[in-house]
Amino acid sequence: MPAAVTPSDPQKQCVGANEFAVELRSGRNPVGAAIVLATNFLPTNQHVDVGVRAAFVDGVRYFAGIDYGDETYLFKRQDAVTHRATESDPLVQKHLLEPDQTIVTLNMGDDLAWFWSRVDLYLYTCNSPVGQSPWRASSVSVRLSPYWFSIFAVVAEILILYVWIGFALRKQDHTLASFLRALNPAQVSAGPDGKGSLSTFQTLAFSLSVAALITLLLLQTGTLVDLSGSILTLLGISGIGATIAKGTDSQRNTLSADNRAWLLRRGWIPMAKTVVDPSNATWRDFFTTDGVFDVYRYQSFIFGLVVIGGLIAAGVNQLSTFVVPNTILGIVGLSQVVYIGGKLVTPTNISDLNAAIAGLRTDEQKLKAAAVAKKQGQVASLAEAIPLIGQDVYDEYRQKARDVAAIFSDATGIIIADASLEPVII
């Protein structure tokens, strides 16, 4: 709480702080017009507009004071500026004031507030001549929000939210090393293929930035704010891009249902679903495609940082009016399109594997059909089928099965036993 202030120049205020408090608490002053606020809290460390439902009169200025109950603070003359309300003022746009009524802009120092303390705010005019006593004092009870404490609370919130992600994604060993690895942004945003996803990372970064600014506004003013269309569009672009990229990765890096069933029956893959380990995801994944530098990913990453910087620079008071230039939105959108298009056209090991397994399944069906046709009946075993179809045909199938198993092991890391390469005839 600041010390009580008594200006050295008597012309700068009606009275000193002590005389001001005595005058107001005596109840002898005429009650002024109602004070209106656009927020539930008065934010400090910035200029705040306070409305007075009284007609603006040229030459009449308002002074301001804060009463803490046991101590009074008077604003310096330059920290309380009176002006006429216009149609463009937020207080008028919110229908709290009429045009041509009075607005007093206060320069609120951060030392005025601590833990959202409740105070009485006074706006008053002076008797003429200046320097006599307060006149027509208006008052309102309000909480003052501390600026730097609000900043600290928001930073703590974002850290807790992010650390919670790492806590949720840590491995089951519950070690500190596992927890710290899970905090890597590349691992947090890893896709179904186990690599860092740029679109997911951008969506996470945009979401945390907007959440931080909205929380800061809530702590400073006690109100929520609308998001501008540009911010919603930006979140939509990154969100849709992340969703399509996830679907694309899932489609391109997942075995087909028929192939998966065939592999399950032959024991090539376990019955339990295998979870991709994202521990190998790195920052490099954000800027490369199949290990090669991708300039479009890098472009999307850079412009994402530029937009986040613009949001932070604009601050909480412009979330409802913040405009991302159409060219920037276009670049971000185009980068997402190229990024997703690159995923669609780039071949993967899983795509090759799907095709190879499908071919091997077809050959197996041909072997079975040939054996049944030769015998003109159901074959009892593989040993019975081999003389029917021919050793050369069987050896050719086995060689192809080895090739498919090699591709499978390269893509999944699972080694296939030689006994599992035999065709199933019955």
Side-chain angles (χ1 to χ4, degrees):
M1 183 183 300
V5 174
T6 303
S8 58
D9 184 349
Q11 298 300 313
K12 289 187 177 181
Q13 293 280 20
C14 294
V15 289
N18 294 331
E19 293 83 356
F20 169 79
V22 171
E23 284 279 343
L24 293 180
R25 291 168 186 168
S26 68
R28 296 193 299 267
N29 304 94
V31 177
I35 294 176
V36 293
L37 306 171
T39 59
N40 295 324
F41 305 149
L42 276 186
T44 58
N45 206 45
Q46 56 190 283
H47 290 85
V48 181
D49 283 344
V50 178
V52 182
R53 287 178 176 163
F56 176 82
V57 179
D58 287 328
V60 175
R61 67 166 293 119
Y62 282 77
F63 299 91
I66 292 177
D67 188 0
Y68 291 90
D70 56 354
E71 197 167 0
T72 301
Y73 173 84
L74 293 186
F75 284 77
K76 297 177 181 179
R77 182 181 179 92
Q78 66 269 23
D79 291 336
V81 180
T82 308
H83 61 92
R84 186 191 305 272
T86 64
E87 294 284 355
S88 61
D89 289 307
L91 286 167
V92 176
Q93 293 177 351
K94 294 181 179 180
H95 306 292
L96 298 174
L97 278 186
E98 297 294 332
D100 297 325
Q101 288 187 327
T102 304
I103 292 178
V104 181
T105 300
L106 303 177
N107 183 19
M108 306 285 290
D110 194 42
D111 57 345
L112 295 177
W114 183 246
F115 286 108
W116 292 268
S117 54
R118 183 173 290 279
V119 300
D120 291 323
L121 172 68
Y122 288 92
L123 298 179
Y124 58 95
T125 57
C126 290
N127 270 333
S128 183
V130 175
Q132 296 300 314
S133 62
W135 179 252
R136 294 198 180 282
S138 303
S139 67
V140 65
S141 179
V142 67
R143 292 188 183 276
L144 302 182
S145 64
Y147 177 79
W148 287 111
F149 190 82
S150 298
I151 295 289
F152 173 79
V154 169
V155 172
E157 175 204 32
I158 298 303
L159 287 177
I160 290 173
L161 289 176
Y162 191 81
V163 168
W164 181 256
I165 296 175
F167 178 80
L169 297 180
R170 74 194 190 287
K171 289 186 176 181
Q172 295 301 317
D173 55 16
H174 293 179
T175 61
L176 178 61
S178 172
F179 173 71
L180 293 178
R181 284 195 300 270
L183 294 177
N184 184 340
Q187 293 192 29
V188 170
S189 61
D193 58 354
K195 295 182 179 180
S197 170
L198 177 59
S199 56
T200 301
F201 173 75
Q202 285 183 325
T203 302
L204 175 63
F206 290 148
S207 300
L208 289 178
S209 299
V210 174
L213 292 174
I214 292 177
T215 303
L216 181 58
L217 180 72
L218 182 62
L219 293 175
Q220 288 189 337
T221 67
T223 59
L224 292 174
V225 66
D226 291 332
L227 296 179
S228 70
S230 288
I231 295 178
L232 292 177
T233 301
L234 183 66
L235 291 174
I237 290 175
S238 57
I240 292 174
T243 302
I244 296 177
K246 183 177 180 180
T248 302
D249 282 336
S250 179
Q251 182 178 4
R252 296 173 62 252
N253 296 287
T254 303
L255 293 168
S256 68
D258 292 339
N259 286 346
R260 181 173 177 81
W262 189 84
L263 293 174
L264 285 169
R265 288 196 301 268
R266 280 148 185 77
W268 285 31
I269 57 177
M271 296 298 294
K273 185 176 181 180
T274 303
V275 178
V276 177
D277 184 8
S279 60
N280 293 325
T282 65
W283 283 88
R284 176 186 176 88
D285 298 334
F286 292 154
F287 313 123
T288 60
T289 299
D290 292 336
V292 180
F293 175 69
D294 190 326
V295 67
Y296 292 105
R297 289 194 182 200
Y298 190 60
Q299 180 190 69
S300 181
F301 180 83
I302 290 176
F303 281 99
L305 294 182
V306 169
V307 172
I308 291 175
L311 275 173
I312 296 174
V316 297
N317 294 326
Q318 296 188 32
L319 280 179
S320 60
T321 58
F322 182 78
V323 176
V324 181
N326 290 332
T327 52
I328 300 296
L329 286 176
I331 290 174
V332 174
L334 181 61
S335 297
Q336 291 285 350
V337 170
V338 175
Y339 168 57
I340 295 170
K343 284 179 171 289
L344 291 172
V345 301
T346 302
T348 64
N349 290 339
I350 298 298
S351 299
D352 295 337
L353 180 60
N354 263 317
I357 294 174
L360 188 62
R361 287 172 45 222
T362 300
D363 289 347
E364 185 184 60
Q365 290 299 321
K366 289 180 179 179
L367 287 182
K368 182 177 180 180
V372 170
K374 192 73 172 179
K375 183 180 179 181
Q376 297 183 349
Q378 188 66 37
V379 179
S381 66
L382 177 61
E384 182 184 2
I386 292 177
L388 295 174
I389 61 177
Q391 186 67 39
D392 292 343
V393 174
Y394 168 74
D395 291 341
E396 183 180 350
Y397 174 86
R398 284 274 302 183
Q399 183 57 49
K400 185 172 183 179
R402 292 189 187 95
D403 294 340
V404 173
I407 299 174
F408 179 84
S409 298
D410 180 62
T412 64
I414 300 174
I415 304 301
I416 305 302
D418 189 71
S420 298
L421 303 179
E422 298 289 356
V424 176
I425 299 299
I426 58 174

